[in-house]
Amino acid sequence: MKFKKYLQKHALAPSTIKVYCRLNRLIPKNCISWLEAEISQRKPLSTLMVKRSVIKFRLMMNGASEEEAINILPKCRGLKSQMRMGLTDRQLKRYEQLCHTIPDPFSTILQLLHLTGFRINEICTLKRKNLVKVDDRLIIEMMGKGGKPRRIPLSKKAQRILKRYLQTYQPKEWIFEGRKNHIKPSSVRNWTLKIQRENPELSKLSPHVLRHTFASNLHQRKVSPITIQMLMGHNDLRTTQRYIHPTIDDLISGIDML
């Protein structure tokens, strides 16, 4: 509980705090030598960086300044994450067909993921108060990752999907209600896993791949990287650039121009 309260003071997102607290319970007291052993095993870099961040906050909570903690921690060297591609046009068409065979609220969530670029935790925890109307446009106002405010206008297609859901189910506090409060991200992931198993052409499907699809589709339509960065809720444009690499359709179109 002490560690959780310390993280809350640093305005981390609730989902990040939850992950960090779980990892903190697993990391032993000799955390520096433990991290060195993890690094020596050449584990994925993204996983190592999360563990390193947890240990950094632990050191800071015990009196070290952020600069001191960073200097104490070993540098992470691991396997770089594999490039994730968004869905191709054909895959996306098939995916949208399958979404209509799934019960709500999962159907609506899955339809909206590639139209909004939301992280799975963000869309599951949306509240009615996050919906703001500006003229005839619905805007989502929310706190994103790292406690950063985000404003995401919905496309006309996304608006139609969401309005239909709201009119049918009339949720009160949480837009996507679960048994106790909001729907759980793990429940949504279970549906993407089911789609994977039953449809070989969508074997790479995940909520994060749908987020990549959102960014890739904006990039294909010549939306500026800065605008994509704002819509994605990234602090750094370099992060956004990892999402807007060419799809296989782009590569085929390019080579066909020769």
Side-chain angles (χ1 to χ4, degrees), residues 6-119:
Y6 185 78
L7 295 177
Q8 288 171 336
K9 289 180 181 178
H10 284 77
L12 297 180
S15 57
T16 302
I17 291 173
K18 185 177 180 180
V19 171
Y20 281 19
C21 287
R22 178 175 58 80
L23 282 174
N24 186 54
R25 291 192 292 270
L26 299 174
I27 296 173
K29 289 184 179 180
N30 57 336
C31 55
I32 302 298
S33 58
W34 177 84
L35 181 59
E36 288 173 341
E38 292 283 295
I39 293 170
S40 68
Q41 295 175 37
R42 297 286 293 171
K43 294 189 174 181
L45 185 58
S46 57
T47 302
L48 291 172
M49 291 302 293
V50 172
K51 293 175 179 177
R52 188 176 188 268
S53 186
V54 171
I55 295 172
K56 183 191 77 171
F57 279 111
R58 182 191 285 189
L59 293 172
M60 290 167 60
M61 190 179 70
N62 290 329
S65 68
E66 184 171 9
E67 184 178 358
E68 289 170 339
I70 291 171
N71 289 333
I72 292 170
L73 290 166
K75 301 294 183 183
C76 283
R77 296 180 181 85
L79 300 175
K80 290 186 177 181
S81 300
Q82 293 184 342
M83 182 183 288
R84 296 195 191 192
M85 304 292 286
L87 300 181
T88 66
D89 291 343
R90 182 181 296 179
Q91 288 172 326
L92 187 56
K93 184 176 181 179
R94 175 60 178 156
Y95 170 75
E96 289 181 325
Q97 290 172 344
L98 292 168
C99 284
H100 292 293
T101 67
I102 294 171
D104 268 323
F106 304 105
S107 176
T108 298
I109 292 172
L110 292 173
Q111 289 178 72
L112 289 175
L113 281 174
H114 73 278
L115 295 173
T116 60
F118 283 132
R119 298 176 179 91

Side-chain angles (χ1 to χ4, degrees), residues 2 12-13 39 50 89 117 153-154 167 170 179 192 196 234 236 245:
K2 184 179 178 182
L12 297 180
I39 293 170
V50 172
D89 291 343
L154 296 184
Q167 290 168 0
Q170 299 183 0
R179 291 181 180 178
T192 58
Q196 275 188 33
H234 289 150
D236 194 324
H245 47 71

Side-chain angles (χ1 to χ4, degrees), residues 141-163:
E141 293 185 346
M142 61 188 295
M143 298 300 289
K145 191 174 181 179
K148 183 181 178 182
R150 287 178 67 192
R151 299 184 81 230
I152 306 101
L154 296 184
S155 67
K156 291 180 179 179
K157 183 175 181 179
Q159 283 190 150
R160 286 196 302 271
I161 293 168
L162 184 56
K163 282 181 177 179

